Every structure is written in structure tokens, then in C-alpha cells.
């Protein structure tokens, strides 16, 4: 059974930075594309960044493009999200999961996520 463990969230001031990590166990991590998702209070979970299994292609939602960077280390079965120039609207619970570039998504069971709160 695949387990996803997100970490690195916290309280940060506007304009600050955080780096999130997601450790994946129980799967052939290196063959899967991965994504970072977030869910703000009262809103649906949304995909904000994705990366191919080899890390050669990335894609970002408009809301985070130019501020966030997704990366991965297949040797460590870990995917990262570097978040810079944080804004209050980035406040959400952040999750990772596998990503499907085409066709319907088939995510693993979601982890607990990591809370990011951006305040002044």
C-alpha cells in the first residue's frame, strides 16, 4: 500500500519562503509522474504543480507559476515544492500524489497533508 507523508509546512509571513517535502513509500516512485495539490478552506482541492517521472518536464498553475518550483529525487522517493514570494491566498493544506497528464486521475490514498499559513 502506498503511503504519502507530506512535511515542511508552517506559518510564514507574506513574501516568505517554505520548502515542502513528500516522501512516498510502497510504490515504484520513479515510474510515476507526481503532483502537488492544495485545498484552501471552503474550496476544492486543486493541482498546482506537476513533474514527470524523470523530472524533465514540469507544469504549474497560473496562480503559482514563477513563484513555486517542483522537483524530485528518485533515489529518495521524495518530491519537493519550493515556495517563494508567498501570498495570503497560498494558505491551504498541501498534498502530493501521482499525476496523470492525460485521462482521468487515479490518485493513491491521500496523505494527511501539510498546512501552510501565510499571514502579515
Amino acid at each position: 500500500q502506498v503511503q504519502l507523508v507530506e512535511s515542511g509546512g508552517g506559518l510564514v509571513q507574506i513574501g516568505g519562503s517554505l520548502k515542502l517535502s513528500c516522501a512516498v513509500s510502497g510504490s515504484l516512485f520513479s515510474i510515476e509522474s507526481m503532483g502537488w495539490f492544495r485545498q484552501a478552506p471552503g474550496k476544492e482541492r486543486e493541482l498546482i504543480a506537476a513533474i514527470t517521472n524523470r523530472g524533465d518536464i514540469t507544469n504549474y498553475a497560473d496562480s503559482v507559476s514563477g513563484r513555486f518550483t517542483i522537483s524530485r529525487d528518485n533515489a529518495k522517493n521524495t518530491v519537493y515544492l519550493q515556495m517563494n514570494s508567498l501570498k495570503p491566498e497560498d494558505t491551504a493544506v498541501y498534498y502530493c500524489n501521482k499525476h496523470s497528464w492525460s485521462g482521468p486521475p487515479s490518485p493513491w490514498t491521500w496523505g494527511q497533508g501539510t498546512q501552510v499559513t501565510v499571514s502579515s
Side-chain angles (χ1 to χ4, degrees), residues 12-98:
V12 63
Q13 291 188 330
I14 294 173
S17 298
L18 284 174
K19 186 173 184 177
L20 307 183
S21 299
C22 173
V24 182
S25 61
S27 81
L28 293 174
F29 175 77
S30 62
I31 69 172
E32 300 286 359
S33 291
M34 293 295 297
W36 277 98
F37 304 75
R38 69 184 181 188
Q39 187 168 21
K43 296 187 177 181
E44 292 188 354
R45 185 153 41 201
E46 61 173 343
L47 173 69
I48 58 170
I51 188 168
T52 52
N53 63 316
R54 294 182 297 179
D56 54 342
I57 298 174
T58 57
N59 196 27
Y60 300 91
D62 290 344
S63 57
V64 305
S65 182
R67 300 187 298 122
F68 291 10
T69 302
I70 187 171
S71 62
R72 65 190 295 161
D73 185 338
N74 285 347
K76 295 183 178 179
N77 279 21
T78 301
V79 61
Y80 304 97
L81 187 68
Q82 176 68 48
M83 306 188 296
N84 299 328
S85 303
L86 283 161
K87 306 175 180 180
E89 51 264 43
D90 295 320
T91 295
V93 180
Y94 285 72
Y95 304 86
C96 72
N97 214 308
K98 64 175 179 176

